[in-house]
Amino acid sequence: MTKQHDLVIIGAGPGGYIAAIRAAQLGLNVACIEKEKALGGTCLRIGCIPSKAMLESSELFHEARDGFEKHGVRFEKLRLDLDAMLKRKDEVVKANTGGVDYLFKKNKITRYLGTGRFTSANTVAVDGAEKVELTARHVIIATGSVSAPLKGVELDGDRIGTSTEALTWTEVPKHLVVIGAGAIGLEMGSVWARLGAKVTVLEYLDRILPGMDTEIAAEALKLFKKQGFEFQLGVRVTGAKKKGKTCTVEIEGQPSIECDRVLLAVGRRPTTEGLGLDKAGIALDERGRVPVNDHFQTSVPTVFAIGDVIRGPMLAHKAEEEGVACAEFIVTGHGHVNYDAIPNVVYTAPEISSVGKTEEELKAANIPYKKGTFPFLANGRARALGHTDGRVKVLAHAETDRILGAHIIGPRAGDLIAELVCAIEFGASSEDVARTSHAHPTLAEVVKEACLAVDGRALNA
Ligand code: FAD
Ligand code: NAD
């Protein structure tokens, strides 16, 4: 059977489903092919959403165990019901993926269940329960990414797993070894540490959170150690094997570690296998990504690619911005993403967030800058919350005062960064934010004070 659409999108993750909605809003007849039954991609099914559900639940458990008493809230017999926690996580996922189903219907997007593969640049076959061939003037590749393997690490779909398995373990590990100190390693490590596991993080580099501002990452390392995490930095993992219930993790030149669970979190790689890109005449770059120009066009101008499958940070909101820009470019000839204003948030406790340039990047580019920092310890609301670790750091151009970067570690850092993303998007100076009224008492006052501190005039420290 052959079907004709204006636009065919392969993949219904945050990139694909948002592109589908925007293109439908702009009047195109849109089809979206997704091989999984549930829509929403990695993010909604096995990524952002279930991990945040588990982070919220485990943080509540941890607070109840270690934090309530200082608020004068006492109770007896606190007990973890991991089955209920996992069930709630699954319900949160279902509500979100079901929401995308609803949006597809509302926007009259045709959904095809099956695996999409190019048969030519403007025809895509769907291998599903029924075989369909779709033709379209435009095609968007939004196939996302999968966990990267590591040579010697024998994934068994259970004890030695990726984030997907670490979101479903039905008992708390006694000792969890995490390979990789990026966002996944630290977020999922936090979940299981809060629920009672001993967590050892093995990282190849001599720091955690590569890409984040070094000063902020160093503060994060100190706080994670205080929480009981063990770190071995500058180590190379060469293998992990399971024997019965025991896993052995091998490290180059160092004693191996025995544990009962292993999480492999050394990055993700673009999904392009079986896509038939050769049939469309598209070659991959040296890192296995689909190369695109500023308008998300591949080497075939009517075939586009967005999200994790192309260059740039692997983030859901980055994929979404690209989805909107790509759909708008197809219909209107315009569409743009400001990569300097894409935030990055790690949802540990405390949260860590950043936007724009790090201090190292400014130094390397010889850009003169001023820096303002302000601690949560000096903020009334943070004291009332009982979460005073961390700070806001703002980097502004030394001459123009334009905000170039902002980095936060502290309570609700993921929400607080939005103001500074907006400031960067609008080309604001630190003075602009410093002269803006911020409600008292709020954590947002720390952002204002950090902007005042850029010119050495913080008021409350
Ligand atoms: P994906 O979400 O990967 O979607 C691609 C879709 O394409 C998938 O559904 C896949 O089944 C489908 N597909 C692939 N090939 C085919 C084919 N041939 N035919 C049909 N369908 C196909 N990002 C954040 O911004 N914030 C977070 O808090 C966050 N947390 C994360 C936590 C975890 C544990 C993980 C793993 C990731 C997290 N991410 C987070 C990253 C985020 O999930 C990705 O950046 C985002 O999902 C990328 O969106 P995408 O649309 O490019 O691809
Ligand atoms: P990552 O690239 O962020 O971190 C992987 C870490 O593993 C790096 O620090 C790297 O140096 C280390 N590593 C690589 N090889 C190693 C080895 N042999 N031994 C020890 N360490 C090794 O990758 P991730 O944490 O797996 O996350 C994958 C993607 O998903 C990232 O792009 C991330 O942005 C995204 N993600 C985002 C969020 C969020 O936004 N909150 C959450 C989870 C995932």
Side-chain angles (χ1 to χ4, degrees):
M1 193 186 358
T2 306
K3 294 268 174 89
Q4 169 92 39
H5 296 275
D6 297 332
L7 171 65
V8 165
I9 299 170
I10 311 174
Y17 93 74
I18 289 291
I21 293 172
R22 186 68 191 119
Q25 284 175 344
L26 291 167
L28 296 192
N29 169 343
V30 184
C32 187
I33 309 167
E34 170 56 60
K35 64 183 166 63
E36 299 290 337
K37 222 169 142 213
L39 299 172
T42 302
C43 179
L44 273 60
R45 287 187 301 105
I46 49 168
C48 328
I49 297 301
S51 61
K52 266 77 257 178
M54 289 301 282
L55 279 158
E56 287 300 335
S57 299
S58 59
E59 182 60 6
L60 283 179
F61 177 72
H62 171 78
E63 275 285 291
R65 192 184 54 204
D66 300 334
F68 279 12
E69 214 171 287
K70 63 177 186 271
H71 287 271
V73 180
R74 288 174 187 272
F75 53 88
E76 273 159 25
K77 295 195 182 142
L78 174 72
R79 191 170 69 80
L80 172 67
D81 184 347
L82 184 55
D83 287 347
M85 199 178 275
L86 291 168
K87 191 164 163 262
R88 177 188 175 274
K89 179 254 310 175
D90 292 339
E91 282 161 7
V92 172
V93 167
K94 211 167 152 211
N96 279 277
T97 57
V100 182
D101 271 315
Y102 161 78
L103 292 170
F104 269 26
K105 285 190 190 105
K106 181 182 163 200
N107 288 284
K108 301 189 173 45
I109 295 159
T110 309
R111 191 256 155 109
Y112 292 94
L113 175 57
T115 303
R117 95 189 126 77
F118 284 96
T119 46
S120 77
N122 64 345
T123 52
V124 182
V126 184
D127 299 323
E130 51 172 339
K131 300 260 177 277
V132 192
E133 187 159 73
L134 309 180
T135 62
R137 185 193 288 262
H138 297 109
V139 180
I140 300 178
I141 303 165
T143 47
S145 65
V146 288
S147 298
L150 183 63
K151 202 166 160 245
V153 174
E154 296 173 5
L155 294 170
D156 73 338
D158 178 25
R159 285 189 179 269
I160 305 183
T162 65
S163 51
T164 306
E165 288 75 38
L167 283 164
T168 59
W169 287 330
T170 51
E171 59 188 47
V172 179
K174 286 183 192 61
H175 184 187
L176 167 64
V177 169
V178 174
I179 310 172
I184 293 185
L186 295 174
E187 288 183 356
M188 293 313 301
S190 293
V191 166
W192 292 109
R194 291 167 190 171
L195 299 181
K198 170 183 169 183
V199 176
T200 304
V201 182
L202 307 176
E203 166 59 51
Y204 180 70
L205 300 174
D206 60 2
R207 57 164 292 169
I208 64 168
L209 293 169
M212 283 277 187
D213 189 88
T214 304
E215 196 182 349
I216 297 288
E219 185 158 353
L221 179 63
K222 240 189 268 166
L223 293 173
F224 292 139
K225 280 184 179 167
K226 228 165 80 184
Q227 289 169 18
F229 276 84
E230 280 179 11
F231 285 92
Q232 291 191 29
L233 303 181
V235 295
R236 202 168 77 84
V237 172
T238 51
K241 289 182 183 56
K242 182 183 83 164
K243 198 167 178 204
K245 288 187 172 180
T246 305
C247 309
T248 307
V249 181
E250 281 141 21
I251 307 169
E252 193 176 73
Q254 302 224 21
S256 53
I257 303 179
E258 298 226 320
C259 58
D260 59 335
R261 300 269 176 187
V262 178
L263 163 60
L264 178 66
V266 293
R268 294 178 60 81
R269 64 167 193 213
T271 311
T272 52
E273 257 171 47
L275 248 186
L277 287 174
D278 52 328
K279 296 277 191 323
I282 296 167
L284 300 177
D285 72 10
E286 71 295 345
R287 289 172 63 183
R289 303 171 299 195
V290 178
V292 291
N293 67 13
D294 287 349
H295 304 301
F296 309 104
Q297 284 168 305
T298 64
S299 52
V300 180
T302 54
V303 178
F304 297 76
I306 57 172
D308 280 10
V309 81
I310 66 167
R311 79 288 187 267
M314 288 182 166
L315 296 171
H317 45 281
K318 175 257 191 191
E320 291 181 1
E321 293 301 326
E322 291 177 344
V324 169
C326 183
E328 290 181 352
F329 177 78
I330 289 170
V331 179
T332 69
H334 305 282
H336 171 250
V337 175
N338 178 4
Y339 289 99
D340 284 333
I342 300 282
N344 188 359
V345 180
V346 181
Y347 298 83
T348 45
E351 291 181 352
I352 306 158
S353 62
S354 86
V355 62
K357 300 275 185 275
T358 63
E359 210 172 334
E360 299 74 66
E361 284 169 343
L362 293 178
K363 277 185 188 146
N366 268 327
I367 297 172
Y369 66 92
K370 303 178 283 184
K371 162 171 150 184
T373 61
F374 195 84
F376 283 93
L377 191 60
N379 174 265
R381 187 65 184 278
R383 288 193 198 117
L385 276 173
H387 292 294
T388 50
D389 285 329
R391 69 182 105 161
V392 175
K393 166 169 165 178
V394 174
L395 303 167
H397 195 282
E399 284 134 34
T400 65
D401 191 37
R402 188 178 177 141
I403 299 176
L404 302 172
H407 308 278
I408 308 179
I409 177 165
R412 304 283 171 210
D415 294 314
L416 295 175
I417 199 74
E419 178 180 7
L420 292 157
V421 176
C422 225
I424 288 185
E425 186 67 47
F426 287 6
S429 62
S430 73
E431 180 80 18
D432 288 327
V433 180
R435 289 205 178 271
T436 304
S437 172
H438 288 65
H440 176 75
T442 59
L443 296 170
E445 287 172 288
V446 183
V447 172
K448 177 186 170 101
E449 290 275 13
C451 286
L452 281 164
V454 168
D455 278 322
R457 54 195 172 92
L459 296 164
N460 286 288

